[in-house]
Coordinates of all heavy atoms in Angstrom, one line a residue:
M1 N -11.6 1.3 15.9 CA -11.3 0.9 14.5 C -10.4 2.0 13.8 O -10.6 3.2 13.9 CB -12.6 0.9 13.7 CG -13.5 -0.3 14.1 SD -13.0 -1.8 13.3 CE -14.3 -2.0 12.1
G2 N -9.3 1.5 13.3 CA -8.4 2.4 12.6 C -8.7 2.7 11.2 O -9.9 3.0 10.9
E3 N -7.7 2.6 10.4 CA -7.9 2.9 9.0 C -8.7 1.8 8.3 O -8.7 0.7 8.7 CB -6.6 3.0 8.2 CG -5.7 4.1 8.7 CD -4.3 3.8 8.2 OE1 -4.1 3.7 7.0 OE2 -3.4 3.7 9.0
S4 N -9.4 2.2 7.2 CA -10.1 1.2 6.5 C -9.2 0.7 5.3 O -8.1 1.3 5.2 CB -11.4 1.7 6.0 OG -11.2 2.9 5.3
V5 N -9.7 -0.2 4.6 CA -8.9 -0.8 3.5 C -9.3 -0.1 2.2 O -10.4 0.2 1.9 CB -9.1 -2.3 3.5 CG1 -8.3 -2.9 2.3 CG2 -8.7 -2.9 4.8
K6 N -8.3 0.1 1.3 CA -8.5 0.7 0.0 C -8.7 -0.3 -1.1 O -8.0 -1.4 -1.1 CB -7.4 1.6 -0.4 CG -7.4 2.9 0.4 CD -6.4 3.9 -0.3 CE -6.4 5.3 0.4 NZ -5.7 5.3 1.6
V7 N -9.5 0.0 -2.0 CA -9.7 -0.8 -3.2 C -9.3 0.1 -4.4 O -9.9 1.1 -4.5 CB -11.1 -1.4 -3.4 CG1 -11.2 -2.2 -4.7 CG2 -11.5 -2.3 -2.2
R8 N -8.4 -0.4 -5.2 CA -8.0 0.4 -6.4 C -8.4 -0.4 -7.6 O -7.9 -1.5 -7.8 CB -6.5 0.6 -6.3 CG -6.0 1.5 -7.4 CD -4.5 1.6 -7.4 NE -4.0 2.3 -6.3 CZ -2.7 2.5 -6.0 NH1 -1.8 2.0 -6.8 NH2 -2.3 3.2 -5.0
D9 N -9.3 0.2 -8.4 CA -9.7 -0.4 -9.7 C -9.3 0.5 -10.8 O -10.0 1.4 -11.1 CB -11.2 -0.6 -9.8 CG -11.8 -1.2 -8.5 OD1 -11.6 -2.3 -8.3 OD2 -12.5 -0.4 -7.9
G10 N -8.1 0.3 -11.3 CA -7.7 1.0 -12.5 C -7.3 2.5 -12.2 O -7.3 2.9 -11.0
Y11 N -6.9 3.2 -13.2 CA -6.5 4.6 -13.0 C -6.7 5.4 -14.3 O -6.9 4.8 -15.3 CB -5.0 4.6 -12.6 CG -4.1 4.0 -13.6 CD1 -3.5 4.7 -14.7 CD2 -3.7 2.6 -13.5 CE1 -2.7 4.1 -15.6 CE2 -2.9 2.0 -14.4 CZ -2.4 2.8 -15.4 OH -1.5 2.2 -16.3
T12 N -6.6 6.7 -14.2 CA -6.7 7.5 -15.3 C -5.4 8.4 -15.3 O -4.9 8.7 -14.3 CB -7.9 8.4 -15.3 OG1 -8.0 9.1 -14.1 CG2 -9.2 7.6 -15.5
I13 N -5.0 8.8 -16.5 CA -3.8 9.7 -16.6 C -4.3 11.0 -17.1 O -4.9 11.1 -18.2 CB -2.7 9.1 -17.5 CG1 -2.3 7.7 -16.9 CG2 -1.5 10.0 -17.6 CD1 -1.3 6.9 -17.7
S14 N -4.0 12.1 -16.4 CA -4.5 13.4 -16.8 C -3.5 14.0 -17.8 O -2.5 13.4 -18.1 CB -4.5 14.3 -15.6 OG -3.2 14.4 -15.0
D15 N -3.9 15.1 -18.4 CA -3.2 15.7 -19.5 C -1.7 16.1 -19.1 O -0.8 16.1 -19.9 CB -3.8 17.0 -19.9 CG -5.2 16.7 -20.6 OD1 -5.4 15.5 -21.0 OD2 -6.0 17.6 -20.7
D16 N -1.5 16.3 -17.8 CA -0.2 16.7 -17.3 C 0.6 15.4 -16.9 O 1.7 15.5 -16.4 CB -0.2 17.7 -16.2 CG -1.1 17.3 -15.1 OD1 -1.7 16.2 -15.1 OD2 -1.3 18.2 -14.2
G17 N 0.1 14.3 -17.3 CA 0.8 13.0 -17.0 C 0.8 12.5 -15.6 O 1.4 11.5 -15.3
L18 N -0.1 13.0 -14.8 CA -0.2 12.5 -13.4 C -1.2 11.3 -13.4 O -2.2 11.4 -14.1 CB -0.7 13.6 -12.5 CG 0.3 14.7 -12.2 CD1 -0.4 15.8 -11.4 CD2 1.5 14.2 -11.4
I19 N -0.9 10.4 -12.6 CA -1.7 9.2 -12.5 C -2.7 9.4 -11.4 O -2.3 9.7 -10.3 CB -0.9 7.9 -12.3 CG1 0.0 7.7 -13.5 CG2 -1.8 6.7 -12.1 CD1 1.0 6.5 -13.3
H20 N -4.0 9.3 -11.7 CA -5.0 9.4 -10.6 C -5.6 8.0 -10.5 O -6.3 7.5 -11.4 CB -6.1 10.4 -11.0 CG -5.5 11.8 -11.2 ND1 -5.3 12.6 -10.1 CD2 -5.1 12.4 -12.2 CE1 -4.8 13.7 -10.5 NE2 -4.6 13.6 -11.8
Y21 N -5.4 7.4 -9.3 CA -6.0 6.1 -9.1 C -7.4 6.2 -8.7 O -7.8 7.1 -7.9 CB -5.2 5.3 -8.0 CG -3.8 5.0 -8.5 CD1 -2.7 5.7 -8.0 CD2 -3.6 3.9 -9.4 CE1 -1.4 5.4 -8.4 CE2 -2.3 3.6 -9.8 CZ -1.2 4.3 -9.3 OH 0.0 4.0 -9.8
A22 N -8.2 5.2 -9.2 CA -9.6 5.2 -8.8 C -9.6 4.3 -7.5 O -9.4 3.1 -7.5 CB -10.4 4.5 -9.9
E23 N -9.8 5.0 -6.4 CA -9.7 4.3 -5.1 C -11.0 4.6 -4.3 O -11.6 5.6 -4.4 CB -8.6 4.8 -4.3 CG -7.2 4.3 -4.8 CD -6.1 4.6 -3.9 OE1 -6.2 5.6 -3.0 OE2 -5.0 4.0 -4.0
R24 N -11.4 3.5 -3.6 CA -12.5 3.7 -2.7 C -12.1 2.9 -1.4 O -11.3 2.0 -1.4 CB -13.8 3.2 -3.3 CG -13.8 1.7 -3.6 CD -15.0 1.3 -4.4 NE -14.8 0.0 -5.0 CZ -15.2 -1.1 -4.4 NH1 -15.9 -1.1 -3.2 NH2 -15.0 -2.3 -4.9
A25 N -12.7 3.3 -0.3 CA -12.4 2.7 1.0 C -13.5 1.7 1.3 O -14.7 1.9 1.0 CB -12.3 3.7 2.1
I26 N -13.1 0.5 1.8 CA -14.1 -0.4 2.3 C -13.8 -0.7 3.7 O -12.8 -0.4 4.3 CB -14.0 -1.8 1.5 CG1 -12.6 -2.4 1.5 CG2 -14.4 -1.5 0.0 CD1 -12.5 -3.8 1.0
T27 N -14.8 -1.3 4.4 CA -14.7 -1.5 5.8 C -13.9 -2.8 6.1 O -13.7 -3.6 5.2 CB -16.1 -1.7 6.5 OG1 -16.7 -2.8 5.9 CG2 -16.9 -0.4 6.3
W28 N -13.4 -3.0 7.3 CA -12.7 -4.2 7.6 C -13.5 -5.5 7.3 O -12.9 -6.4 6.7 CB -12.2 -4.2 9.1 CG -11.1 -3.3 9.3 CD1 -11.1 -2.1 10.0 CD2 -9.7 -3.4 8.9 NE1 -9.9 -1.5 10.0 CE2 -9.0 -2.3 9.4 CE3 -9.1 -4.4 8.2 CZ2 -7.7 -2.2 9.1 CZ3 -7.7 -4.3 7.9 CH2 -7.0 -3.2 8.4
P29 N -14.7 -5.6 7.7 CA -15.5 -6.9 7.4 C -15.5 -7.1 5.9 O -15.4 -8.3 5.5 CB -16.9 -6.6 8.0 CG -16.6 -5.6 9.1 CD -15.5 -4.7 8.6
E30 N -15.7 -6.1 5.1 CA -15.7 -6.3 3.6 C -14.4 -6.7 3.2 O -14.2 -7.6 2.3 CB -16.1 -4.9 3.0 CG -17.5 -4.6 3.0 CD -17.8 -3.2 2.4 OE1 -17.2 -2.2 2.9 OE2 -18.5 -3.1 1.4
A31 N -13.3 -6.2 3.7 CA -11.9 -6.5 3.3 C -11.6 -8.0 3.7 O -11.0 -8.7 2.9 CB -10.9 -5.6 4.0
D32 N -12.1 -8.4 4.9 CA -11.9 -9.8 5.3 C -12.5 -10.7 4.3 O -12.0 -11.8 3.9 CB -12.5 -10.0 6.7 CG -11.7 -9.3 7.8 OD1 -10.6 -8.9 7.6 OD2 -12.2 -9.2 8.9
E33 N -13.7 -10.3 3.9 CA -14.5 -11.2 3.0 C -13.7 -11.3 1.6 O -13.6 -12.3 1.1 CB -15.9 -10.5 2.7 CG -16.7 -11.2 1.8 CD -18.0 -11.8 2.5 OE1 -17.9 -12.1 3.7 OE2 -19.0 -12.0 1.8
M34 N -13.2 -10.1 1.1 CA -12.5 -10.2 -0.1 C -11.2 -11.0 0.0 O -10.8 -11.6 -1.0 CB -12.2 -8.7 -0.5 CG -13.2 -8.1 -1.4 SD -12.8 -6.4 -1.9 CE -11.7 -6.7 -3.3
A35 N -10.6 -10.9 1.1 CA -9.3 -11.5 1.3 C -9.5 -13.0 1.5 O -8.6 -13.8 1.3 CB -8.5 -10.9 2.4
G36 N -10.7 -13.4 2.1 CA -10.9 -14.8 2.4 C -10.3 -15.2 3.7 O -10.1 -16.3 4.0
R37 N -9.8 -14.2 4.5 CA -9.2 -14.4 5.8 C -9.3 -13.1 6.6 O -9.6 -12.1 6.0 CB -7.8 -14.9 5.6 CG -6.9 -13.8 5.1 CD -5.5 -14.3 4.9 NE -4.6 -13.4 4.1 CZ -3.6 -12.8 4.6 NH1 -3.3 -12.9 5.8 NH2 -2.9 -12.0 3.8
R38 N -9.0 -13.3 7.9 CA -9.1 -12.1 8.7 C -7.8 -11.3 8.6 O -6.7 -11.9 8.8 CB -9.3 -12.5 10.2 CG -9.7 -11.3 11.0 CD -10.1 -11.8 12.4 NE -10.7 -10.8 13.2 CZ -10.0 -9.8 13.8 NH1 -8.7 -9.7 13.7 NH2 -10.7 -8.8 14.5
L39 N -7.9 -10.1 8.2 CA -6.7 -9.3 8.0 C -6.2 -8.7 9.3 O -7.0 -8.4 10.2 CB -7.0 -8.1 7.0 CG -7.3 -8.6 5.6 CD1 -7.7 -7.4 4.7 CD2 -6.2 -9.4 4.9
D40 N -4.9 -8.5 9.4 CA -4.3 -7.8 10.6 C -4.7 -6.4 10.6 O -4.3 -5.6 9.7 CB -2.8 -8.0 10.4 CG -2.0 -7.6 11.7 OD1 -2.6 -6.8 12.5 OD2 -0.9 -8.1 11.9
R41 N -5.4 -6.0 11.6 CA -5.9 -4.6 11.7 C -4.8 -3.6 11.9 O -5.0 -2.4 11.8 CB -6.8 -4.4 12.9 CG -8.3 -4.9 12.8 CD -8.7 -5.6 11.6 NE -10.2 -5.9 11.7 CZ -10.7 -6.8 10.9 NH1 -10.0 -7.5 10.1 NH2 -12.0 -7.0 11.0
R42 N -3.6 -4.0 12.3 CA -2.5 -3.1 12.6 C -1.8 -2.7 11.3 O -1.0 -1.8 11.3 CB -1.5 -3.7 13.5 CG -2.0 -3.9 14.9 CD -1.1 -4.8 15.7 NE -1.0 -6.1 15.0 CZ -0.3 -7.2 15.5 NH1 0.3 -7.1 16.6 NH2 -0.3 -8.3 14.8
K43 N -2.1 -3.4 10.2 CA -1.3 -3.1 9.0 C -2.2 -2.4 8.0 O -3.4 -2.3 8.1 CB -0.9 -4.4 8.4 CG 0.2 -5.1 9.3 CD 0.5 -6.5 8.8 CE 1.4 -6.4 7.5 NZ 1.9 -7.7 7.2
A44 N -1.6 -1.8 7.0 CA -2.3 -1.2 5.9 C -2.4 -2.1 4.7 O -1.5 -2.8 4.3 CB -1.5 0.1 5.5
W45 N -3.6 -2.2 4.2 CA -3.9 -3.2 3.1 C -4.6 -2.4 2.0 O -5.3 -1.5 2.2 CB -4.8 -4.3 3.6 CG -4.3 -5.1 4.7 CD1 -4.7 -5.0 6.0 CD2 -3.4 -6.2 4.7 NE1 -4.0 -5.9 6.8 CE2 -3.3 -6.7 6.0 CE3 -2.7 -6.9 3.6 CZ2 -2.4 -7.8 6.3 CZ3 -1.9 -7.9 3.9 CH2 -1.8 -8.4 5.2
A46 N -4.5 -3.0 0.8 CA -5.2 -2.5 -0.3 C -5.5 -3.6 -1.3 O -4.7 -4.6 -1.3 CB -4.5 -1.4 -1.0
F47 N -6.5 -3.5 -2.0 CA -6.8 -4.5 -3.1 C -6.5 -3.8 -4.4 O -7.2 -2.8 -4.7 CB -8.2 -5.0 -3.1 CG -8.5 -5.9 -1.9 CD1 -9.0 -5.4 -0.7 CD2 -8.2 -7.3 -2.0 CE1 -9.2 -6.2 0.4 CE2 -8.4 -8.1 -0.9 CZ -8.9 -7.6 0.3
I48 N -5.5 -4.2 -5.1 CA -5.1 -3.5 -6.3 C -5.4 -4.5 -7.5 O -4.8 -5.5 -7.5 CB -3.7 -3.0 -6.3 CG1 -3.5 -2.0 -5.2 CG2 -3.3 -2.4 -7.7 CD1 -2.1 -1.5 -4.9
D49 N -6.3 -4.1 -8.3 CA -6.8 -5.0 -9.4 C -7.2 -6.3 -8.8 O -6.8 -7.4 -9.4 CB -5.8 -5.1 -10.5 CG -5.5 -3.8 -11.2 OD1 -6.4 -3.0 -11.3 OD2 -4.4 -3.5 -11.6
G50 N -7.8 -6.3 -7.7 CA -8.3 -7.6 -7.1 C -7.3 -8.3 -6.3 O -7.6 -9.4 -5.7
E51 N -6.1 -7.8 -6.3 CA -5.0 -8.5 -5.6 C -4.7 -7.9 -4.2 O -4.5 -6.7 -4.2 CB -3.8 -8.6 -6.4 CG -2.6 -9.4 -5.7 CD -1.5 -9.7 -6.7 OE1 -1.2 -8.9 -7.6 OE2 -0.9 -10.8 -6.5
L52 N -4.7 -8.7 -3.2 CA -4.4 -8.1 -1.8 C -3.0 -7.7 -1.8 O -2.0 -8.4 -2.1 CB -4.7 -9.2 -0.8 CG -4.4 -8.8 0.7 CD1 -5.4 -7.7 1.1 CD2 -4.5 -10.0 1.6
C53 N -2.8 -6.4 -1.3 CA -1.4 -5.9 -1.2 C -1.2 -5.3 0.2 O -2.1 -4.8 0.8 CB -1.2 -4.8 -2.2 SG -1.2 -5.4 -3.9
D54 N 0.0 -5.4 0.6 CA 0.5 -5.0 1.9 C 1.3 -3.7 1.7 O 2.1 -3.7 0.7 CB 1.4 -6.2 2.3 CG 1.7 -6.2 3.8 OD1 1.5 -5.2 4.4 OD2 2.2 -7.2 4.2
C55 N 1.2 -2.8 2.6 CA 2.0 -1.5 2.4 C 3.4 -1.6 3.1 O 3.4 -2.0 4.3 CB 1.3 -0.3 3.0 SG 2.1 1.2 2.6
V56 N 4.4 -1.4 2.3 CA 5.8 -1.4 2.8 C 6.3 0.0 2.7 O 6.2 0.6 1.7 CB 6.6 -2.4 2.0 CG1 8.1 -2.4 2.5 CG2 6.1 -3.8 2.1
S57 N 6.8 0.5 3.8 CA 7.3 1.9 3.8 C 8.7 2.0 4.3 O 9.1 1.1 5.1 CB 6.4 2.9 4.5 OG 6.3 2.5 5.9
W58 N 9.5 2.9 3.8 CA 10.9 3.1 4.2 C 11.3 4.5 4.0 O 10.6 5.3 3.3 CB 11.8 2.1 3.5 CG 11.9 2.4 2.0 CD1 12.9 3.0 1.4 CD2 11.0 2.0 1.0 NE1 12.7 3.1 0.0 CE2 11.5 2.5 -0.3 CE3 9.8 1.3 0.9 CZ2 10.9 2.3 -1.5 CZ3 9.1 1.1 -0.3 CH2 9.7 1.6 -1.5
T59 N 12.4 4.9 4.5 CA 13.0 6.2 4.3 C 14.1 6.1 3.2 O 15.0 5.3 3.4 CB 13.5 6.8 5.6 OG1 12.4 6.8 6.5 CG2 14.0 8.2 5.4
A60 N 14.1 7.0 2.2 CA 15.1 6.9 1.2 C 15.6 8.3 0.9 O 14.9 9.3 1.2 CB 14.5 6.3 -0.1
A61 N 16.7 8.4 0.2 CA 17.2 9.7 -0.2 C 16.2 10.4 -1.1 O 15.6 9.7 -1.9 CB 18.6 9.5 -0.9
C62 N 16.0 11.7 -0.9 CA 15.1 12.4 -1.7 C 15.5 12.4 -3.2 O 16.6 12.7 -3.5 CB 15.0 13.8 -1.1 SG 14.0 14.9 -2.2
S63 N 14.5 12.1 -4.0 CA 14.8 12.1 -5.5 C 15.0 13.5 -6.0 O 15.6 13.7 -7.1 CB 13.7 11.4 -6.2 OG 12.5 12.1 -6.0
G64 N 14.5 14.5 -5.3 CA 14.6 15.9 -5.7 C 16.0 16.5 -5.6 O 16.4 17.4 -6.3
C65 N 16.8 16.0 -4.6 CA 18.1 16.6 -4.3 C 19.2 15.6 -4.2 O 20.3 16.0 -3.9 CB 18.0 17.5 -3.1 SG 17.4 16.6 -1.6
S66 N 18.9 14.4 -4.5 CA 20.0 13.4 -4.4 C 20.2 12.8 -5.8 O 19.3 12.2 -6.4 CB 19.6 12.2 -3.5 OG 20.4 11.1 -3.7
D67 N 21.4 13.1 -6.4 CA 21.6 12.6 -7.8 C 22.5 11.4 -7.8 O 22.7 10.7 -8.8 CB 22.2 13.7 -8.7 CG 23.3 14.5 -8.0 OD1 23.9 14.0 -7.0 OD2 23.6 15.7 -8.4
E68 N 23.0 11.0 -6.6 CA 23.9 9.8 -6.5 C 23.0 8.6 -6.2 O 22.3 8.6 -5.3 CB 24.8 10.0 -5.3 CG 26.3 9.9 -5.6 CD 27.0 10.2 -4.3 OE1 27.1 11.4 -3.9 OE2 27.5 9.2 -3.7
V69 N 23.2 7.5 -7.0 CA 22.5 6.3 -6.7 C 23.0 5.7 -5.5 O 24.2 5.6 -5.3 CB 22.6 5.4 -8.0 CG1 21.9 4.0 -7.7 CG2 22.0 6.0 -9.2
G70 N 22.2 5.3 -4.6 CA 22.6 4.7 -3.4 C 23.0 5.6 -2.3 O 23.3 5.2 -1.2
A71 N 22.9 6.9 -2.5 CA 23.2 7.9 -1.4 C 22.1 7.8 -0.3 O 21.0 7.5 -0.6 CB 23.1 9.3 -2.0
A72 N 22.6 7.9 0.9 CA 21.7 7.8 2.0 C 20.7 9.0 2.1 O 19.6 8.9 2.5 CB 22.5 7.7 3.3
R73 N 21.2 10.2 1.7 CA 20.4 11.4 1.7 C 20.9 12.4 0.7 O 22.1 12.4 0.3 CB 20.3 12.0 3.1 CG 21.6 12.3 3.8 CD 21.4 13.1 5.1 NE 20.6 12.3 6.0 CZ 19.7 12.9 6.8 NH1 19.5 14.2 6.8 NH2 19.0 12.1 7.7
G74 N 20.0 13.3 0.3 CA 20.4 14.3 -0.6 C 20.8 15.6 0.1 O 20.9 15.6 1.4
G75 N 21.0 16.6 -0.6 CA 21.5 17.9 0.0 C 20.4 18.7 0.6 O 20.7 19.6 1.4
G76 N 19.1 18.4 0.3 CA 18.0 19.1 0.9 C 17.4 20.0 -0.2 O 18.1 20.7 -0.9
C77 N 16.1 20.0 -0.3 CA 15.4 20.8 -1.2 C 14.0 21.0 -0.6 O 13.6 20.4 0.4 CB 15.4 20.2 -2.6 SG 14.4 18.7 -2.7
S78 N 13.2 21.9 -1.3 CA 11.9 22.1 -0.8 C 11.0 20.9 -0.8 O 10.1 20.8 0.0 CB 11.2 23.3 -1.6 OG 11.2 22.9 -3.0
E79 N 11.3 20.0 -1.7 CA 10.4 18.8 -1.9 C 10.5 17.9 -0.6 O 9.5 17.3 -0.2 CB 11.0 18.0 -3.1 CG 10.0 16.9 -3.6 CD 10.6 16.2 -4.8 OE1 11.1 16.8 -5.7 OE2 10.7 14.9 -4.7
C80 N 11.6 17.9 0.0 CA 11.8 17.0 1.2 C 11.8 17.8 2.5 O 12.2 17.3 3.6 CB 13.0 16.1 1.1 SG 14.6 17.1 0.8
G81 N 11.6 19.1 2.4 CA 11.6 19.9 3.6 C 13.0 20.1 4.1 O 13.2 20.3 5.3
Y82 N 14.0 20.0 3.2 CA 15.4 20.2 3.5 C 16.0 19.1 4.5 O 16.9 19.4 5.2 CB 15.7 21.6 4.0 CG 15.3 22.6 3.0 CD1 14.1 23.2 3.0 CD2 16.2 22.9 1.9 CE1 13.7 24.1 2.0 CE2 15.8 23.8 0.9 CZ 14.5 24.3 0.9 OH 14.1 25.2 -0.1
H83 N 15.4 18.0 4.5 CA 15.9 16.9 5.3 C 16.8 15.9 4.5 O 17.6 15.2 5.0 CB 14.7 16.0 5.8 CG 13.9 16.8 6.8 ND1 14.3 17.3 8.0 CD2 12.5 17.1 6.7 CE1 13.3 17.9 8.6 NE2 12.3 17.8 7.9
G84 N 16.7 16.0 3.1 CA 17.5 15.2 2.3 C 16.9 13.8 2.1 O 17.4 13.0 1.3
V85 N 15.9 13.4 2.9 CA 15.3 12.1 2.8 C 13.8 12.3 2.6 O 13.2 13.3 3.0 CB 15.6 11.2 4.0 CG1 17.0 10.8 4.1 CG2 15.2 11.9 5.3
S86 N 13.2 11.3 2.1 CA 11.7 11.3 2.0 C 11.2 10.0 2.3 O 11.8 9.0 2.2 CB 11.3 11.8 0.6 OG 11.7 10.9 -0.4
R87 N 9.9 9.9 2.7 CA 9.2 8.7 3.1 C 8.7 8.1 1.8 O 8.0 8.7 1.0 CB 8.1 9.1 4.0 CG 7.5 7.9 4.8 CD 8.4 7.7 6.0 NE 7.9 6.5 6.7 CZ 8.6 5.5 7.2 NH1 9.9 5.6 7.1 NH2 8.1 4.5 7.7
Q88 N 9.1 6.8 1.6 CA 8.6 6.1 0.4 C 7.7 5.0 0.9 O 7.9 4.4 2.0 CB 9.8 5.4 -0.3 CG 10.9 6.3 -0.6 CD 10.6 7.3 -1.8 OE1 10.0 6.8 -2.7 NE2 11.0 8.5 -1.7
A89 N 6.7 4.7 0.1 CA 5.8 3.7 0.4 C 5.4 3.0 -0.9 O 5.3 3.6 -1.9 CB 4.5 4.2 1.1
M90 N 5.2 1.7 -0.8 CA 4.9 0.9 -1.9 C 3.9 -0.2 -1.6 O 4.0 -0.8 -0.5 CB 6.2 0.3 -2.4 CG 6.2 -0.3 -3.8 SD 7.9 -0.8 -4.1 CE 7.5 -2.3 -5.0
W91 N 3.0 -0.6 -2.5 CA 2.2 -1.7 -2.3 C 2.8 -3.0 -2.8 O 3.3 -3.0 -3.9 CB 0.8 -1.5 -2.9 CG 0.0 -0.4 -2.3 CD1 -0.2 0.8 -2.8 CD2 -0.6 -0.4 -1.0 NE1 -1.0 1.6 -1.9 CE2 -1.2 0.8 -0.8 CE3 -0.7 -1.4 0.0 CZ2 -2.0 1.1 0.3 CZ3 -1.4 -1.1 1.1 CH2 -2.0 0.2 1.3
V92 N 2.9 -4.0 -2.0 CA 3.5 -5.2 -2.4 C 2.5 -6.3 -2.3 O 1.8 -6.4 -1.3 CB 4.7 -5.6 -1.5 CG1 5.3 -6.9 -1.8 CG2 5.8 -4.5 -1.5
P93 N 2.3 -7.2 -3.4 CA 1.3 -8.2 -3.3 C 1.6 -9.1 -2.1 O 2.7 -9.5 -1.8 CB 1.5 -9.0 -4.6 CG 2.2 -8.1 -5.5 CD 3.1 -7.2 -4.6
A94 N 0.5 -9.4 -1.4 CA 0.6 -10.2 -0.1 C 0.5 -11.7 -0.3 O 0.6 -12.4 0.6 CB -0.5 -9.7 0.8
T95 N 0.4 -12.1 -1.6 CA 0.1 -13.5 -1.9 C 1.2 -14.4 -1.3 O 1.0 -15.5 -0.8 CB 0.0 -13.8 -3.4 OG1 1.1 -13.0 -4.0 CG2 -1.3 -13.4 -3.9
F96 N 2.5 -14.0 -1.4 CA 3.6 -14.8 -0.9 C 3.5 -15.0 0.6 O 4.1 -15.9 1.1 CB 4.9 -14.1 -1.3 CG 5.2 -12.8 -0.6 CD1 5.8 -12.8 0.6 CD2 4.9 -11.6 -1.3 CE1 6.0 -11.5 1.2 CE2 5.1 -10.4 -0.7 CZ 5.7 -10.4 0.6
A97 N 2.8 -14.1 1.3 CA 2.7 -14.2 2.7 C 1.5 -15.0 3.2 O 1.3 -15.2 4.4 CB 2.7 -12.8 3.3
R98 N 0.7 -15.4 2.2 CA -0.6 -16.0 2.6 C -0.3 -17.4 3.1 O 0.3 -18.3 2.4 CB -1.5 -16.1 1.3 CG -2.9 -16.5 1.7 CD -3.8 -16.3 0.5 NE -4.0 -14.9 0.1 CZ -4.5 -14.5 -1.0 NH1 -4.8 -15.4 -1.9 NH2 -4.6 -13.3 -1.3
A99 N -0.8 -17.7 4.2 CA -0.6 -19.0 4.9 C -1.6 -20.0 4.2 O -2.6 -19.6 3.6 CB -0.8 -18.9 6.4
T100 N -1.3 -21.3 4.3 CA -2.2 -22.3 3.8 C -3.5 -22.2 4.6 O -3.5 -22.2 5.8 CB -1.6 -23.7 4.1 OG1 -0.2 -23.7 3.7 CG2 -2.3 -24.8 3.4
P101 N -4.6 -22.1 3.8 CA -5.8 -21.9 4.5 C -6.2 -23.1 5.3 O -6.1 -24.2 4.8 CB -6.9 -21.7 3.4 CG -6.2 -22.0 2.1 CD -4.7 -22.1 2.4
H102 N -6.5 -22.9 6.5 CA -7.0 -24.1 7.3 C -8.2 -23.6 8.1 O -8.2 -22.7 8.8 CB -5.9 -24.7 8.1 CG -5.6 -24.2 9.5 ND1 -5.6 -25.0 10.6 CD2 -5.4 -23.0 9.9 CE1 -5.3 -24.3 11.6 NE2 -5.2 -23.1 11.3
R103 N -9.3 -24.3 7.7 CA -10.6 -23.9 8.2 C -11.0 -24.9 9.3 O -10.9 -26.1 9.1 CB -11.6 -23.9 7.2 CG -11.3 -22.9 6.1 CD -12.5 -22.7 5.2 NE -12.2 -21.6 4.2 CZ -12.1 -21.8 2.9 NH1 -12.3 -22.9 2.4 NH2 -11.7 -20.8 2.2
E104 N -11.4 -24.4 10.4 CA -11.8 -25.3 11.5 C -13.3 -25.5 11.4 O -14.0 -24.7 10.9 CB -11.5 -24.6 12.8 CG -10.0 -24.7 13.2 CD -9.6 -23.5 14.0 OE1 -10.0 -23.5 15.2 OE2 -8.8 -22.7 13.5
G105 N -13.7 -26.7 11.8 CA -15.1 -27.1 11.8 C -15.7 -27.4 10.4 O -16.9 -27.3 10.2
E106 N -14.8 -27.8 9.5 CA -15.3 -28.1 8.2 C -15.2 -29.6 7.9 O -14.2 -30.2 8.3 CB -14.6 -27.4 7.1 CG -15.4 -26.2 6.6 CD -14.8 -25.6 5.3 OE1 -13.9 -26.2 4.7 OE2 -15.2 -24.5 5.0
Ligands
LIG201 ZN1 15.1 16.9 -1.4

């Protein structure tokens, strides 16, 4: 069994403006139950405000050292380990990818 699935219910913002998400991990069977279908174990999933989301990640120019919009990479800084790029990840609602439910034996 790989990673478990995260559930995010709201967040708090600290005095320094950082967002702290209230997250907890649930097991795959619990996640399947919440999703109403069997989730692909190879992917990363999360339930954000009750909505099933899929993790999409990509490499983008580092925001710390790239001032040009659309630049492939920045000049390098301590934030990105002087690579000029950083790994970005975002949760995207999975609803559009949801297939028509078809239940066998009903
Ligand atoms: Zn950088």
Side-chain angles (χ1 to χ4, degrees):
M1 291 276 254
E3 299 164 54
S4 52
V5 178
K6 285 192 174 77
V7 177
R8 186 185 288 178
D9 314 289
Y11 58 88
T12 53
I13 300 174
S14 62
D15 294 340
D16 51 6
L18 291 171
I19 297 171
H20 297 278
Y21 292 105
E23 285 185 343
R24 64 193 166 90
I26 58 170
T27 62
W28 285 111
E30 284 177 300
D32 289 346
E33 179 113 336
M34 270 181 84
R37 66 185 168 111
R38 194 177 191 279
L39 296 175
D40 188 338
R41 281 4 183 200
R42 292 165 303 182
K43 293 173 75 171
W45 301 98
F47 290 92
I48 297 174
D49 296 327
E51 183 166 33
L52 178 65
C53 294
D54 193 347
C55 186
V56 176
S57 61
W58 68 97
T59 303
C62 171
S63 58
C65 56
S66 167
D67 42 21
E68 235 179 285
V69 176
R73 55 173 58 215
C77 67
S78 58
E79 197 181 307
C80 56
Y82 301 94
H83 294 298
V85 290
S86 63
R87 196 85 185 134
Q88 307 286 320
M90 192 178 144
W91 292 108
V92 177
T95 43
F96 64 86
R98 192 172 292 167
T100 313
H102 88 128
R103 297 191 177 117
E104 284 151 70
E106 259 189 12

